[in-house]
Amino acid sequence: MIGKMNFSLEVGPHTDLDTLPPVKDVYITMLPGGDYKETSEKADALVKKGFNPVPHFPARSINDEAQLKDYISRCKDVGTKQALVIGGSRDPIGKFDSSIQILETGFFDGIKIGIAGHPEGSQDMSDTKLEKAMVDKKPYADYIVTQWLLDSQTIVDFISKQSVPVHVGITGPMKITSLIKFANIVGAKNSINFLKSNFSKALDLLKPKDPNELIGKVKEFTDNFHIYTFGGLKETNKWLKENGYV
Protein backbone atom coordinates (compact mmCIF):
# COMPACT_ATOMS: atom_id res chain seq x y z
CA MET A 1 0.00 0.00 0.00
CA ILE A 2 1.45 3.35 -1.04
CA GLY A 3 1.41 5.93 1.74
CA LYS A 4 2.65 9.50 2.03
CA MET A 5 4.92 10.63 -0.77
CA ASN A 6 8.59 11.12 0.05
CA PHE A 7 10.75 13.53 -1.89
CA SER A 8 14.54 13.64 -1.96
CA LEU A 9 16.71 15.99 -3.95
CA GLU A 10 20.23 16.42 -5.20
CA VAL A 11 22.76 19.17 -4.42
CA GLY A 12 26.38 19.80 -5.31
CA PRO A 13 29.25 20.16 -2.82
CA HIS A 14 28.93 23.97 -3.10
CA THR A 15 25.15 24.40 -2.86
CA ASP A 16 23.99 26.94 -0.29
CA LEU A 17 22.15 24.81 2.27
CA ASP A 18 20.00 27.71 3.45
CA THR A 19 18.09 27.44 0.16
CA LEU A 20 17.01 23.82 0.73
CA PRO A 21 13.33 22.88 1.05
CA PRO A 22 12.35 20.82 4.12
CA VAL A 23 12.92 17.37 2.62
CA LYS A 24 14.74 14.73 4.67
CA ASP A 25 17.06 13.02 2.21
CA VAL A 26 19.59 15.18 0.40
CA TYR A 27 21.91 13.54 -2.13
CA ILE A 28 25.35 15.06 -2.74
CA THR A 29 26.92 14.72 -6.15
CA MET A 30 30.57 13.96 -6.72
CA LEU A 31 31.06 15.05 -10.31
CA PRO A 32 33.94 13.95 -12.57
CA GLY A 33 37.06 15.71 -11.36
CA GLY A 34 35.43 16.47 -7.99
CA ASP A 35 37.08 15.90 -4.61
CA TYR A 36 35.47 13.26 -2.38
CA LYS A 37 36.60 15.23 0.69
CA GLU A 38 34.32 18.10 -0.34
CA THR A 39 31.39 15.70 -0.68
CA SER A 40 32.02 14.25 2.79
CA GLU A 41 32.32 17.78 4.25
CA LYS A 42 28.93 18.61 2.71
CA ALA A 43 27.52 15.46 4.35
CA ASP A 44 28.80 16.77 7.68
CA ALA A 45 27.12 20.16 7.12
CA LEU A 46 23.84 18.46 6.19
CA VAL A 47 23.83 16.25 9.31
CA LYS A 48 24.38 19.36 11.45
CA LYS A 49 21.33 20.96 9.83
CA GLY A 50 19.16 17.92 10.54
CA PHE A 51 19.13 16.38 7.04
CA ASN A 52 19.93 12.80 6.04
CA PRO A 53 22.84 13.13 3.59
CA VAL A 54 23.23 10.60 0.79
CA PRO A 55 26.67 11.05 -0.83
CA HIS A 56 27.32 9.73 -4.32
CA PHE A 57 30.04 7.10 -4.69
CA PRO A 58 30.96 7.08 -8.42
CA ALA A 59 33.22 4.04 -8.90
CA ARG A 60 35.09 5.42 -11.90
CA SER A 61 36.05 8.58 -9.98
CA ILE A 62 37.69 6.66 -7.11
CA ASN A 63 41.36 5.67 -7.31
CA ASP A 64 41.62 2.50 -5.25
CA GLU A 65 40.54 0.67 -2.09
CA ALA A 66 42.49 3.02 0.18
CA GLN A 67 40.73 6.09 -1.21
CA LEU A 68 37.33 4.37 -1.10
CA LYS A 69 37.92 3.36 2.52
CA ASP A 70 38.93 6.91 3.43
CA TYR A 71 35.86 8.37 1.69
CA ILE A 72 33.48 5.96 3.44
CA SER A 73 35.17 6.51 6.82
CA ARG A 74 34.89 10.29 6.49
CA CYS A 75 31.20 9.96 5.67
CA LYS A 76 30.47 7.49 8.47
CA ASP A 77 32.40 9.59 10.99
CA VAL A 78 30.08 12.58 10.43
CA GLY A 79 26.94 10.46 10.75
CA THR A 80 26.18 9.39 7.17
CA LYS A 81 23.88 6.34 7.09
CA GLN A 82 23.06 6.10 3.39
CA ALA A 83 24.92 6.19 0.06
CA LEU A 84 24.18 6.14 -3.66
CA VAL A 85 26.65 3.82 -5.41
CA ILE A 86 27.00 4.49 -9.15
CA GLY A 87 29.42 3.82 -11.98
CA GLY A 88 29.82 7.50 -12.80
CA SER A 89 30.00 9.07 -16.23
CA ARG A 90 33.71 9.17 -16.97
CA ASP A 91 36.63 6.92 -17.84
CA PRO A 92 38.09 5.21 -14.74
CA ILE A 93 40.77 7.25 -12.99
CA GLY A 94 41.95 4.21 -11.07
CA LYS A 95 41.23 0.52 -10.66
CA PHE A 96 37.41 0.62 -10.50
CA ASP A 97 35.33 0.66 -13.64
CA SER A 98 31.91 -0.35 -12.28
CA SER A 99 29.80 0.07 -9.15
CA ILE A 100 29.74 -3.68 -8.47
CA GLN A 101 33.51 -3.56 -7.82
CA ILE A 102 33.20 -1.05 -5.01
CA LEU A 103 30.14 -2.82 -3.57
CA GLU A 104 32.08 -6.10 -3.42
CA THR A 105 34.77 -4.56 -1.17
CA GLY A 106 32.40 -4.88 1.78
CA PHE A 107 33.37 -1.38 2.97
CA PHE A 108 29.75 -0.18 2.88
CA ASP A 109 28.74 -2.50 5.71
CA GLY A 110 26.09 -0.85 7.88
CA ILE A 111 25.14 1.75 5.27
CA LYS A 112 21.83 1.79 3.39
CA ILE A 113 22.67 1.41 -0.31
CA GLY A 114 20.94 2.92 -3.30
CA ILE A 115 21.94 1.91 -6.83
CA ALA A 116 21.15 3.56 -10.16
CA GLY A 117 18.37 2.37 -12.43
CA HIS A 118 18.17 3.19 -16.14
CA PRO A 119 14.65 2.42 -17.41
CA GLU A 120 15.49 4.12 -20.74
CA GLY A 121 18.94 2.59 -21.10
CA SER A 122 22.33 4.22 -20.66
CA GLN A 123 24.70 5.99 -23.03
CA ASP A 124 27.60 4.32 -21.26
CA MET A 125 26.67 0.67 -21.89
CA SER A 126 24.51 -1.66 -23.95
CA ASP A 127 21.12 -2.86 -22.67
CA THR A 128 22.49 -6.40 -22.22
CA LYS A 129 25.40 -5.17 -20.09
CA LEU A 130 23.05 -2.91 -18.15
CA GLU A 131 20.73 -5.84 -17.41
CA LYS A 132 23.65 -7.97 -16.19
CA ALA A 133 24.99 -5.13 -14.01
CA MET A 134 21.56 -4.77 -12.44
CA VAL A 135 21.40 -8.49 -11.59
CA ASP A 136 24.92 -8.36 -10.08
CA LYS A 137 24.20 -5.28 -7.94
CA LYS A 138 20.76 -6.29 -6.66
CA PRO A 139 21.99 -8.37 -3.68
CA TYR A 140 23.73 -5.24 -2.30
CA ALA A 141 20.89 -2.79 -2.95
CA ASP A 142 18.26 -1.56 -0.50
CA TYR A 143 16.58 0.48 -3.22
CA ILE A 144 16.99 1.86 -6.76
CA VAL A 145 17.08 5.51 -7.87
CA THR A 146 16.23 5.97 -11.54
CA GLN A 147 17.60 8.47 -14.02
CA TRP A 148 15.01 11.23 -14.50
CA LEU A 149 12.39 10.58 -17.12
CA LEU A 150 9.00 11.74 -18.31
CA ASP A 151 7.38 8.71 -19.88
CA SER A 152 5.17 7.21 -17.15
CA GLN A 153 4.67 3.85 -18.88
CA THR A 154 8.44 3.23 -18.98
CA ILE A 155 8.61 3.89 -15.24
CA VAL A 156 5.66 1.64 -14.37
CA ASP A 157 7.11 -1.21 -16.50
CA PHE A 158 10.49 -0.80 -14.78
CA ILE A 159 9.01 -0.79 -11.25
CA SER A 160 7.01 -3.95 -11.97
CA LYS A 161 10.24 -5.88 -12.62
CA GLN A 162 12.04 -4.88 -9.41
CA SER A 163 12.30 -6.66 -6.08
CA VAL A 164 13.41 -3.57 -4.10
CA PRO A 165 11.73 -0.14 -3.77
CA VAL A 166 12.18 2.27 -6.68
CA HIS A 167 12.73 6.00 -6.18
CA VAL A 168 11.60 7.65 -9.42
CA GLY A 169 13.82 10.38 -10.82
CA ILE A 170 11.95 13.57 -11.77
CA THR A 171 12.99 17.13 -12.52
CA GLY A 172 11.81 20.23 -10.74
CA PRO A 173 9.71 22.71 -12.78
CA MET A 174 11.65 23.54 -15.94
CA LYS A 175 11.21 24.93 -19.43
CA ILE A 176 10.72 22.26 -22.10
CA THR A 177 13.76 23.55 -24.00
CA SER A 178 15.92 22.96 -20.89
CA LEU A 179 14.39 19.52 -20.39
CA ILE A 180 15.26 18.54 -23.97
CA LYS A 181 18.83 19.76 -23.43
CA PHE A 182 19.25 17.68 -20.26
CA ALA A 183 17.47 14.68 -21.79
CA ASN A 184 20.01 14.73 -24.64
CA ILE A 185 22.88 14.84 -22.14
CA VAL A 186 21.69 11.73 -20.27
CA GLY A 187 20.45 9.96 -23.39
CA ALA A 188 16.84 9.68 -22.19
CA LYS A 189 15.47 8.63 -25.59
CA ASN A 190 11.84 7.95 -24.65
CA SER A 191 11.63 11.20 -22.73
CA ILE A 192 12.96 13.21 -25.67
CA ASN A 193 10.35 11.61 -27.94
CA PHE A 194 7.68 12.23 -25.30
CA LEU A 195 8.63 15.90 -25.11
CA LYS A 196 8.73 16.35 -28.85
CA SER A 197 5.41 14.66 -29.47
CA ASN A 198 3.54 16.33 -26.61
CA PHE A 199 4.80 19.88 -26.90
CA SER A 200 4.60 20.93 -30.51
CA LYS A 201 3.33 24.47 -29.92
CA ALA A 202 5.99 27.14 -29.44
CA LEU A 203 3.98 28.55 -26.53
CA ASP A 204 4.23 25.25 -24.64
CA LEU A 205 8.00 25.29 -24.97
CA LEU A 206 8.28 28.53 -23.02
CA LYS A 207 6.05 27.56 -20.10
CA PRO A 208 7.75 25.73 -17.24
CA LYS A 209 6.61 22.12 -17.02
CA ASP A 210 6.22 20.66 -13.55
CA PRO A 211 6.20 16.91 -12.75
CA ASN A 212 2.68 16.82 -11.23
CA GLU A 213 1.15 14.90 -14.12
CA LEU A 214 3.89 12.29 -14.04
CA ILE A 215 3.62 11.90 -10.25
CA GLY A 216 -0.14 11.44 -10.62
CA LYS A 217 0.39 8.58 -13.08
CA VAL A 218 2.98 6.64 -11.09
CA LYS A 219 2.19 7.35 -7.43
CA GLU A 220 0.16 4.16 -7.03
CA PHE A 221 3.32 2.18 -7.85
CA THR A 222 5.83 4.07 -5.66
CA ASP A 223 5.77 6.77 -3.01
CA ASN A 224 9.40 7.84 -3.46
CA PHE A 225 10.48 10.59 -5.85
CA HIS A 226 14.01 11.89 -6.36
CA ILE A 227 14.28 15.43 -7.73
CA TYR A 228 17.07 16.49 -10.08
CA THR A 229 16.96 20.27 -9.71
CA PHE A 230 19.64 21.18 -12.31
CA GLY A 231 20.34 24.31 -10.30
CA GLY A 232 16.68 25.36 -10.09
CA LEU A 233 16.45 24.94 -6.33
CA LYS A 234 14.31 28.03 -5.82
CA GLU A 235 11.64 26.89 -8.31
CA THR A 236 11.71 23.35 -6.86
CA ASN A 237 11.27 24.70 -3.33
CA LYS A 238 8.31 26.84 -4.40
CA TRP A 239 6.69 23.96 -6.32
CA LEU A 240 7.02 21.52 -3.37
CA LYS A 241 5.40 24.03 -1.01
CA GLU A 242 2.61 25.12 -3.37
CA ASN A 243 1.57 21.50 -3.92
CA GLY A 244 1.65 20.65 -0.23
CA TYR A 245 4.39 18.05 -0.73
CA VAL A 246 6.47 19.43 2.17
Side-chain angles (χ1 to χ4, degrees):
M1 179 66 195
I2 299 299
K4 181 182 181 290
M5 284 186 280
N6 301 309
F7 289 88
S8 56
L9 56 81
E10 205 157 272
V11 301
H14 305 293
T15 303
D16 176 3
L17 297 186
D18 292 331
T19 61
L20 289 187
V23 298
K24 184 168 158 275
D25 302 331
V26 179
Y27 289 61
I28 316 157
T29 59
M30 178 180 155
L31 297 173
D35 182 352
Y36 71 94
K37 291 174 187 160
E38 284 188 338
T39 303
S40 58
E41 281 161 15
K42 201 68 170 179
D44 185 20
L46 282 160
V47 168
K48 287 179 175 147
K49 280 190 169 283
F51 292 98
N52 174 44
V54 187
H56 283 200
F57 280 80
R60 291 189 274 275
S61 291
I62 296 168
N63 274 323
D64 52 24
E65 276 100 346
Q67 193 179 78
L68 176 63
K69 211 170 201 170
D70 186 46
Y71 184 13
I72 293 173
S73 294
R74 284 168 185 269
C75 289
K76 276 185 170 176
D77 288 349
V78 299
T80 299
K81 295 178 169 53
Q82 196 170 332
L84 181 67
V85 178
I86 55 177
S89 55
R90 64 172 302 158
D91 291 327
I93 62 164
K95 65 176 292 184
F96 303 120
D97 67 4
S98 65
S99 49
I100 185 67
Q101 290 174 315
I102 63 174
L103 287 166
E104 285 174 342
T105 60
F107 297 162
F108 289 97
D109 196 32
I111 288 183
K112 184 179 178 182
I113 297 289
I115 59 169
H118 299 271
E120 294 189 0
S122 165
Q123 286 177 308
D124 300 325
M125 59 171 84
S126 70
D127 289 351
T128 320
K129 270 188 161 170
L130 205 55
E131 197 63 42
K132 186 190 178 320
M134 205 63 180
V135 171
D136 292 344
K137 291 185 293 189
K138 270 287 183 57
Y140 298 93
D142 294 294
Y143 67 102
I144 296 166
V145 180
T146 74
Q147 71 196 120
W148 70 269
L149 20 92
L150 299 160
D151 180 11
S152 58
Q153 197 51 53
T154 308
I155 297 170
V156 172
D157 293 345
F158 180 80
I159 293 172
S160 69
K161 295 180 195 146
Q162 307 310 323
S163 53
V164 293
V166 174
H167 296 211
V168 173
I170 59 175
T171 69
M174 201 181 288
K175 280 201 311 229
I176 307 298
T177 43
S178 305
L179 284 172
I180 290 173
K181 186 180 93 179
F182 288 118
N184 274 311
I185 291 168
V186 298
K189 296 183 287 286
N190 294 10
S191 291
I192 293 170
N193 294 337
F194 176 86
L195 284 168
K196 288 179 176 168
S197 59
N198 283 276
F199 301 94
S200 50
K201 300 194 291 293
L203 206 63
D204 281 344
L205 295 174
L206 297 171
K207 281 190 296 204
K209 175 167 173 52
D210 67 44
N212 288 343
E213 189 187 333
L214 177 69
I215 290 169
K217 286 178 180 169
V218 302
K219 67 181 180 188
E220 63 183 281
F221 302 96
T222 179
D223 50 5
N224 294 296
F225 294 91
H226 180 63
I227 308 166
Y228 297 93
T229 60
F230 298 114
L233 208 47
K234 211 166 133 189
E235 291 78 5
T236 297
N237 206 338
K238 186 166 171 261
W239 166 76
L240 282 167
K241 285 178 178 160
E242 281 176 355
N243 287 276
Y245 290 138
V246 292

